[in-house]
Amino acid sequence: MAQIFLDTAKVEEIREAVSWGVLDGVTTNPTLMMRAGTADLKTNTLEIVDIVQGPVSAEVVSTDVDGMVEEARDILAWSEHVFVKIPSTVEGLKAMKKISAWPHGRINATLIFSANQAYLAARAGASYASVFVGRMDDAGFDGMDVVRQTRAIFDNYGFDCQVLAASIRHPEHVLDALLAGADIITMPFGVLQKMIRSPFTDVGLERFLADWDKVTNSS
Ligand code: E4P
């Protein structure tokens, strides 16, 4: 089964999605924190953990190995549910290798735009490889191709690393990611809402209720 994550730092959205009974986890990043209007990563992350009771990714902002490792040490100590997001750069790769050697080294390798980057992140011990589908589409590439290629590579070599389809823009991305065999799909709350809504369902329901009204009122 593919897991559904929300790509947001807004606790109201997370609370609502949890009430639907289909949310498995949450991913955040500095931009999403800015949109949620908070700079307190620890408080925000722990509030989200409390609501979702599942994996929550929080991102480092250092760009050098030592800085990333130091931040990761702090972030990972907050809760057993927290995953640390490390950018897929050379420095990031070195940091992943060090962090993944820790017993609690839960890593979400972020900003992945090629299957080669995903392969290297998996080799460095990442638990999740976050492929940014929408941003590749925006740049004129087929982002979902990278999800398919990453899935094939991880299956070929039996990597434990999970394929995470990120930068999801619309429900068709979700459908394609499911068909491509992604392990996790992280999406904005608006996309989750669009997944369940259909005008045909609304019209169908209206007609059922109107007909039921007719039959019950005629007897
Ligand atoms: C992934 O974890 C990222 O937070 C996210 O999907 C980025 O997507 P964007 O292209 O919508 O910023």
Side-chain angles (χ1 to χ4, degrees):
M1 186 180 65
Q3 292 191 299
I4 294 178
F5 284 12
L6 267 199
D7 202 22
T8 185
K10 294 183 182 164
V11 289
E12 325 79 61
E13 294 182 343
I14 296 162
R15 217 171 260 123
E16 175 62 18
V18 164
S19 78
W20 294 14
V22 291
L23 192 70
D24 300 296
V26 171
T27 49
T28 68
N29 64 38
T31 304
L32 295 172
M33 295 282 298
M34 181 196 70
R35 286 189 194 143
T38 176
D40 189 342
L41 184 61
K42 183 174 179 181
T43 305
N44 183 259
T45 304
L46 289 178
E47 196 177 352
I48 295 171
V49 165
D50 202 45
I51 299 167
V52 77
Q53 290 297 320
V56 177
S57 294
E59 187 156 346
V60 298
V61 286
S62 299
T63 51
D64 62 300
V65 191
D66 293 343
M68 284 190 249
V69 170
E70 201 181 311
E71 275 189 70
R73 198 182 300 281
D74 184 37
I75 289 172
L76 289 169
W78 295 342
S79 157
E80 58 182 1
H81 292 299
V82 175
F83 282 62
V84 66
K85 267 176 136 178
I86 305 284
S88 302
T89 58
V90 171
E91 293 292 292
L93 211 56
K94 293 181 198 169
M96 288 182 217
K97 191 71 193 169
K98 286 176 190 277
I99 298 162
S100 65
W102 305 341
H104 59 298
R106 302 170 296 273
I107 299 166
N108 178 347
T110 191
L111 289 165
I112 289 179
F113 294 88
S114 75
N116 281 335
Q117 283 178 305
Y119 172 70
L120 291 173
R123 286 287 310 269
S127 306
Y128 302 155
S130 286
V131 178
F132 277 46
V133 175
R135 291 196 197 183
M136 273 181 284
D137 286 2
D138 293 346
F141 301 98
D142 182 356
M144 204 55 70
D145 248 356
V146 178
V147 173
R148 284 184 213 102
Q149 291 164 353
T150 303
R151 172 78 284 149
I153 291 166
F154 286 5
D155 288 349
N156 281 351
Y157 299 105
F159 282 117
D160 275 344
C161 186
Q162 303 201 55
V163 181
L164 195 159
S167 185
I168 294 294
R169 301 272 193 261
H170 43 70
E172 207 171 333
H173 270 157
V174 180
L175 181 60
D176 289 344
L178 288 169
L179 293 170
D183 297 294
I184 303 165
I185 305 161
T186 191
M187 65 195 78
F189 184 54
V191 174
L192 183 67
Q193 286 177 310
K194 285 183 190 150
M195 279 175 72
I196 188 66
R197 281 189 190 148
S198 164
F200 296 109
T201 306
D202 297 342
V203 169
L205 184 60
E206 233 169 76
R207 187 175 306 163
F208 282 154
L209 295 179
D211 289 345
W212 186 245
D213 211 39
K214 279 179 211 155
V215 83
T216 49
N217 285 331
S218 68
S219 56

